[in-house]
Amino acid sequence: MRIAMISEHASPLSALGGVDAGGQNAHVAELAAALAEQGHEVRVYTRRDDPGLPPVVAAKGFEVVHVPAGPAVTLPKDDLLPYMGDFAEWTAADWRGTWLPDVVHAHFWMSGLAAVTAARSSDVPVVLTYHALGSVKRRHQGAADTSPEHRVAYERQLGRVVDKVVVQCQDEIRELLAMGVPRSQMALVPSGVNTDLFRPEGPAEPRDADRPRILTVGRLVERKGYEDLIRALPSVPGAELVVVGGPPDGRLDDDPYARRLRALAQHCRVGDRVRLAGAAASADMPRWYRSADVLAAAPWYEPFGLTPLEAMACGVPVVGTAVGGLTDTVVDGITGDLVPPRDPRGLGVALRRLLTDDMRRVSYAAAAADRAAHSYSWRRIATRLAAVYATVAGGTLTTTDSPREAVV
Ligand code: UDP
C-alpha cells in the first residue's frame, strides 16, 4: 500500500526529549520504518521548521517530506493551527502530482484537520491517532493549557468524520465515548516498541553498584510528575533518582524547570541523590534503561506513555501511576506496580518495597520483557495497523457530499 502519514509538529527525524519532541516523534518514526520493512511505500509529511531542511529526506525505508506551511522556524505546536490550511493545500497538490496514497494516517488533531482537508479532493480515506486529547489536557492543566480555543470541538468532529480513529488504550476509548465518538469508529491498536533496540541484553550506562537506581525518562514538563518522585525519594533510603530528558546536559542550567527540580531536591534533602542527566539520543536510551533497577513513571495523566514500555522491553520493572496507557501496558503485580497519580507517599512505598525485594524485581523484569516482546513489538503493531488501513482503503468510497467537507 501507499501510506501517507501527516505529523505536523512531530518530525520522525527530530531529536527527542525537548518540550514538544517526545512519544509522537518516536511513534511516527518507528511505525513508518516498520511499515516500510513490510513492503509498504510510506511518506511522512511534517512541517518545515528550519530553512536548511531539504524538501525530502530519505529515512529508514521511508521518505520525510518537509511541507512549507508557516515560517520555517521552530514554533510551539499550539501555534500551528493557522498554518494547517496551507499544509493541507500543499499536501493535496503533492498527491495530485505523482503520488496518490491509498490511505492517510494523521497523527495529532491538527494533522487530522490537514489530512481531512487534503483528502477531500482525492477521496483518500483518513485514519486518525489523536496521541493526546484536549479534554484531558484541559482537565489537568486548566488555565495553563495553551491549546487553541476550539481544540475539543475539532477533536470531537474529527472523531466522527474520519474513516477510523486508532485509539491507543482503554482509557482513551472511555474519553472518546464521553465526547460522543461512536465505538464503531474506533480500532484499538496500542503504540509499540522497537524490540531490536530495546531488549534486555546489551551495554548499560555506568552506575554506582551500591546505590539502587530509579530511572525516570521524559520531556521536562510538570505533568510528568518528577516533583512527586523527588518528594518520594526521602522514603527510599540510599536510592538515586536519575532523570533523563529535557535540554542537553550542558544547557540544563538555563532551563527554569530543571532549576526548580534541583531546588526541590535540596529542599527535600535529597539533592545528592537526584541527578538530572539531560536529553539522551534515542539510540542511547536502551543503555539508560538497562542501568536501572526500576523505571519510575509518575505522570498525572498520560495518553499512552512509551517510556514504561521501552523499560519493560529492556527487562526493567516499572513503578508507575495508574493513568492512561500505563494501566494497559503495566500489569499491576506482574510486570510492575501501579499507584495513584500525584501521591508521593504511594510512590515512595512502592519504590522502597520493590527495591528491597530482589525476587519480586527479577520476576517482574522477566514478565515485563516477555509482555513487551510478545504484545508490543513494532512489527506486530504495524501489521495490525496495516489491517486497519486495508479495511478503510478497501471499503470507503466517499461521495462529494461527504461529511468531511464540513470540517475545516
Ligand atoms: N526520549 C529520548 N531521549 C530523552 C527523553 C526521551 O529519546 O532524552 C524518548 C523516549 O525514549 C520515548 C519518548 O522520548 O521514546 C517519550 O515518549 P513518552 O510517550 O514517554 O512521552 P511523551 O513525550 O510522548 O509525552
Side-chain angles (χ1 to χ4, degrees):
M1 287 180 101
R2 262 189 187 174
I3 302 159
M5 293 204 200
I6 297 188
S7 182
E8 48 19 320
H9 71 279
S11 168
L13 304 173
S14 295
L16 306 184
V19 168
D20 277 341
Q24 187 179 325
N25 307 66
H27 177 102
V28 172
E30 292 291 353
L31 173 58
L35 287 165
E37 198 184 278
Q38 295 179 4
H40 299 287
E41 223 181 293
V42 184
R43 264 190 195 178
V44 180
Y45 294 82
T46 192
R47 204 181 71 85
R48 181 165 167 263
D49 61 2
D50 179 335
L53 287 173
V56 181
V57 174
K60 288 183 194 157
F62 63 95
E63 285 181 343
V64 180
V65 181
H66 292 116
V67 178
V73 294
T74 307
L75 291 172
K77 67 172 181 285
D78 288 336
D79 293 352
L80 296 181
L81 184 58
Y83 309 116
M84 288 303 107
D86 288 350
F87 195 117
E89 210 172 293
W90 193 95
T91 306
D94 195 52
W95 296 346
R96 277 195 299 274
T98 52
W99 203 83
L100 186 67
D102 298 305
V103 63
V104 51
H105 186 171
H107 298 267
F108 201 59
W109 69 278
M110 277 191 260
S111 300
L113 290 181
V116 163
T117 313
R120 210 152 50 183
S121 52
S122 47
D123 274 353
V124 180
V126 177
V127 172
L128 169 67
T129 299
Y130 287 101
H131 289 275
L133 286 171
S135 52
V136 180
K137 190 168 185 188
R138 180 56 53 92
R139 191 177 313 137
H140 289 277
Q141 299 204 351
D145 179 9
T146 53
S147 301
E149 197 187 340
H150 300 296
R151 172 173 177 178
V152 176
Y154 276 127
E155 287 180 337
R156 178 180 297 116
Q157 201 176 353
L158 278 167
R160 294 184 182 146
V161 303
V162 296
D163 296 272
K164 200 54 99 180
V165 173
V166 172
V167 287
Q168 298 194 299
C169 61
Q170 298 288 344
D171 190 48
E172 190 179 0
I173 295 180
R174 282 189 288 275
E175 280 298 331
L176 287 173
L177 286 174
M179 279 165 61
V181 177
R183 180 66 180 87
S184 56
Q185 273 286 79
M186 306 177 208
L188 174 61
V189 185
S191 195
V193 61
N194 182 337
T195 45
D196 296 333
L197 194 64
F198 294 95
R199 55 196 165 85
E201 312 76 33
E205 279 295 307
R207 55 168 283 178
D208 181 343
D210 299 329
R211 182 163 264 200
R213 174 171 286 180
I214 304 165
L215 177 71
T216 188
V217 178
R219 295 173 291 129
L220 278 196
V221 292
E222 193 177 28
R223 71 139 172 119
K224 292 284 180 183
Y226 303 118
E227 290 168 64
D228 297 331
L229 279 172
I230 291 172
R231 290 200 172 91
L233 207 54
S235 10
V236 199
E240 67 170 349
L241 172 68
V242 178
V243 184
V244 169
D249 190 13
R251 295 218 313 269
L252 278 169
D253 290 344
D254 303 333
D255 185 285
Y257 194 60
R259 290 204 297 268
R260 190 159 125 199
L261 292 179
R262 282 190 178 134
L264 178 67
Q266 292 300 340
H267 175 79
C268 297
R269 299 175 192 279
V270 291
D272 59 331
R273 293 199 281 132
V274 174
R275 175 177 158 207
L276 303 189
S282 36
D284 291 334
M285 289 310 305
R287 299 171 61 97
W288 279 104
Y289 290 122
R290 289 185 204 118
S291 76
D293 295 291
V294 57
L295 184 280
W300 300 346
Y301 68 97
E302 188 63 272
F304 183 74
L306 282 177
T307 67
L309 195 53
E310 291 169 350
M312 286 167 63
C314 291
V316 177
V318 175
V319 167
T321 46
V323 297
L326 275 79
T327 53
D328 289 8
T329 49
V330 180
V331 186
D332 194 24
I334 305 283
T335 69
D337 292 312
L338 292 174
V339 299
R342 301 180 127 174
D343 177 9
R345 214 179 141 268
L347 274 171
V349 169
L351 286 166
R352 181 179 183 155
R353 191 181 70 152
L354 195 54
L355 287 175
T356 50
D357 186 342
D358 293 347
M359 283 293 284
R360 185 187 287 266
R361 267 202 331 282
V362 168
S363 104
Y364 279 11
D370 273 354
R371 180 166 172 73
H374 289 133
S375 302
Y376 293 97
S377 79
W378 266 119
R379 274 185 205 100
R380 192 185 175 94
I381 300 300
T383 305
R384 289 174 61 183
L385 281 171
V388 174
Y389 300 157
T391 321
V392 297
T396 355
L397 272 182
T398 319
T399 56
T400 43
D401 60 354
S402 157
R404 287 188 204 149
E405 301 278 351
V407 170
V408 196

